[in-house]
Structures are given as C-alpha cells and as structure tokens.
Amino acid sequence: MSSNPDLLAAIPERCEADLIGLSRIHDPDSEGWTRTVFSDPYRESREWIRARMIDVGLEVHPDGAGNLVGVLPGRNPAASPLVTGSHTDTVRGGGRFDGAVGVLGALEAVRLLREHDLQLDRDLLVIDFLGEESNEFGLSCMGSRALAGELSAADLDRQDHHGTRLGDRYAAFGIDPSGVLASSGWAKTRALHRYVELHVEQGPLLEESGVPIGVVTAIAGIERILATFTGRPDHAGTMPMGDRRDALVAAAEAVLAVRQEGCGAPVHGVATTSQLVSEPGSPNVVPGRVRMQAEMRSVDPGWLSEAQRRLTEKITLQASAYGVDVDFEWSHDNECRPASPSVHQTISSAVDSLGIAWEPVPSGATHDAVHMARLCPMGMIFVPSQGGRSHCPEEWSELDHIATGVQVLAMTLVELDRTTD
Ligand code: HGY
Ligand code: MN
Ligand code: MN
C-alpha cells in the first residue's frame, strides 16, 4: 500500500470525528465514560457503530452471540477470511480509547483500502465484540468467547448480585440466549485466516521509550481469587485484643501479601486486590467474616501458577496466627496467549517499511485477541497511552499515534491477505 500523503492526511480527522462521535454516547450520570454491556448507552452505541460500518461499505451481520460483524467482501469468498476488531463497551468510569481505537481504527483501515482501490483476496471481517470488559457475572470477552466456542450453558446460568441470570440479560438486550449457544463457535465452522487487533497499550512502556508503535509479544494470563476469611464476631468494646479472631485484620495482611507477590515477579507479573467486604460491618462488632476479591496476571504461566500456590500458603498461615480460617475460590479468566510469530513479523515489517520505530511489548491487559487466538494466528498493534493510564477518564492517546496505528493495521491486513498458509 503506497503511503500516499494526501490520503493518509485524512486519517487523523476522520478518526477524531469517529472517536468524538462514539464518546458522546455514555451514561451521563457516571463520571468519565461508562458504556457497560447490556446498558442503554451500550445499546445506543451499537446502533451508532452499525451505522458507521454501513457508511464505510461493510455488509453488517449481527451474529447470534451479539457481536456486530461487518464484512468487506474479497475477490475470493471461498478463501478463509481475515479478521480485525475490538470492543466498544467500557468499564464504569472508563475512558474514550480502550477498545474504541480498535473498532474505529478498523473502520478507517477499510476506508483506506477502498480509497487505495485495494480489494483484498479474502473477505475482511470487522467485529465489534460484545462485552469485552469483565462484568458483574465475572465473565470478560463474552462475544469473542462465544465466537470461539468457549461460552457454555453454565455461563448463561451465572448470576449477578441481584440474582439475575446472564442468559436473561442477553434476552432483555434482544439477543436470544439459545442463539448465543447455537451460534457459539460459528467461526470454528469457517476457518479464519488471521486476526489482528489495534489497541491502546493501557500501560507506560511505549511512552517511556518514546516509541509510537508496540507489537505485542504475548497477552497475560489472569487468575482471580475470591477468599473468604472466617473469624468470630465479638463485642468490640469488651473482647481483649489478644483473644480476638478478627477476620478483617487477617484479610488486611492478605492484601499486603497479594501486593508483595505482584512486586516480586521476575518477568511481567502483577497482583491486585480490588475488594474487601467485611461483615457485619458495624463499628462495635469485631469483623467475623471478610470476602476478598483479587487477581494475578502474568505473561509467564510458570510464575502465575507458582504465585497462586505461594499466596494460598502464605495467606492461610498468616490468618491462622489470628485464629482465622480462609477458603479460596480461584477462577481462571484466560490463559497466557503468545502472539503468532508470523503475524508479529508481518506487523513489525509494516512498521519498518514506514521507517517508524517500534518495540515488542507484553500485554498486561486482556483482549478479545486471547480468544480469537484459539481460531487462527493472532497479532496485536499497540499505540501509546498517556501516562500509561487507562480504565479511567484521564485515558488519552494522541491522534497521530492512532493514525499511525491505523496505517500499520491496513498495511498488515494487505500483507496477511497475500499469505497462503
Ligand atoms: O481486564 C482487562 O485487562 C481488559 O481491559 N478487559
Ligand atoms: Mn480493551
Ligand atoms: Mn478494558
């Protein structure tokens, strides 16, 4: 693809217009940008995305799993298709770039292909995946899991803290739950060729090295912990300190143990406690029970499983010193997934041909790419996040970086289209 300066000059303006357009659709009562899955703002934003897909000439087919699938027909419909995309749902109080850059950047890449009269041999699928962010059902990447055949009937029976089933939330959103399972794995029936996702880094590595493009080496695996500390409720005014079985003190030590484990990771590894729920929560009662929610991530699967074992031992031992018992429920969110070396090579060659610097980066954030990697060789392109911030209103990426990322995405798709294996 020639780097025709006139055409490429259009990218920043169009991407900016699309990012502004999408960021107008969010929950007005929540700070930052909130477009959580199944919410009204999310419903509105999907209609907006569908219209943008049609504007750029895609044939839009919502698949049975709630993903919005735009198809750019290739010359050879029998060939296995290329796939790109991301998500447009957000965390609560999130930002304007996480996920949006990948979906809107893919639309811009389609515009560039058309403006350069570049018809691909293969169909190109542009997907806005349903519900990438982790939600109250404890399930992230719902759309890409379904597409990869990883969503089960048991998942649809998951309940939120109101007791509502996930399947019923699909139905209330207008997606037939039986269709979600029936369509699940549709991509397994039609072999996919390659998957590439453009995304903001959501971390500080690219900004620190002053490099505009990251080529992802691997996406971190995630293990989540729900630990229940059982002590003994007592009168806070009369029970001597040495005789207490204070569940919250034991949990507080566990929070520090989680942090210590994360800080000790030799490669990329992090650990975060996100919630402590103390019962009964009255000021005059020694906490009898505490539930702690935490997670660990690493691109090093060996470290991740060892860290789980160490943390379980350490927290149990520490709690016993306070006469507090601990039960652990570990939930596996996703495997650590290396990017395909050949797709990594294609992306980095595209960046080299533009004479732009790039660096290999791990992704501590998870993405739909983790599940798409089950279906075909996967790669990801990162652009810098200002201050490494994300999942917050301050999330920001420079338009010229996004435009470069779009150009690299378009060039990568053209190259991958030519690969045959
Ligand atoms: O949790 C994540 O890493 C992603 O932002 N959903
Ligand atoms: Mn994301
Ligand atoms: Mn996110």
Side-chain angles (χ1 to χ4, degrees), residues 13 33 44 54 78 92 132 145 149 189 192 203 273 278 361 367:
E13 278 147 47
W33 281 266
E44 183 187 345
I54 292 167
R92 289 189 188 291
E132 187 271 351
R145 284 178 200 268
T189 53
L192 304 181
T273 301
S278 171
V361 284
H367 302 282

Side-chain angles (χ1 to χ4, degrees), residues 87 91 98 132-134 140-141 199 202 222 224 295 297 333-334 363-367 390-391:
H87 63 98
V91 295
D98 173 7
E132 187 271 351
E133 297 295 356
S134 197
S140 65
C141 298
H199 204 285
Q202 300 180 292
I222 306 179
R224 293 209 166 99
E295 68 161 46
R297 302 190 185 202
D333 191 289
N334 64 259
S363 175
T366 192
H367 302 282
S390 182
H391 282 187

Side-chain angles (χ1 to χ4, degrees), residues 180-316:
V180 173
L181 295 181
S183 76
S184 181
W186 62 259
K188 280 188 166 173
T189 53
R190 181 182 183 195
L192 304 181
H193 183 53
R194 297 288 186 273
Y195 177 78
V196 192
E197 180 170 351
L198 173 62
H199 204 285
V200 291
E201 181 202 337
Q202 300 180 292
L205 302 178
L206 293 177
E207 185 178 65
E208 281 170 0
S209 44
V211 168
I213 293 286
V215 186
V216 170
T217 51
I219 301 173
I222 306 179
E223 299 298 339
R224 293 209 166 99
I225 314 167
L226 190 58
T228 304
F229 296 79
T230 308
R232 190 185 63 199
D234 280 312
H235 194 301
T238 55
M239 183 52 65
M241 295 305 284
D243 298 336
R244 295 178 178 203
R245 294 174 54 194
D246 187 330
L248 190 51
V249 170
E253 295 247 10
V255 170
L256 296 178
V258 166
R259 171 178 160 73
Q260 202 174 5
E261 191 59 52
C263 294
V267 190
H268 164 273
V270 288
T272 313
T273 301
S274 52
Q275 210 177 65
L276 285 183
V277 178
S278 171
E279 294 170 2
S282 319
N284 57 355
V285 181
V286 175
R289 188 167 61 189
V290 171
R291 274 180 296 117
M292 174 179 99
Q293 177 182 276
E295 68 161 46
M296 307 177 71
R297 302 190 185 202
S298 179
V299 294
D300 174 349
W303 178 82
L304 197 50
S305 59
E306 264 307 290
Q308 277 183 274
R309 186 190 54 73
R310 280 194 301 271
L311 210 46
T312 308
E313 270 176 24
K314 182 170 186 181
I315 291 177
T316 306

Side-chain angles (χ1 to χ4, degrees), residues 82-86 102 106 124-127 195-198 409 413:
L82 288 166
V83 190
T84 184
S86 194
L124 171 63
L125 309 187
V126 175
I127 303 182
Y195 177 78
V196 192
E197 180 170 351
L198 173 62
L409 174 65
L413 291 170

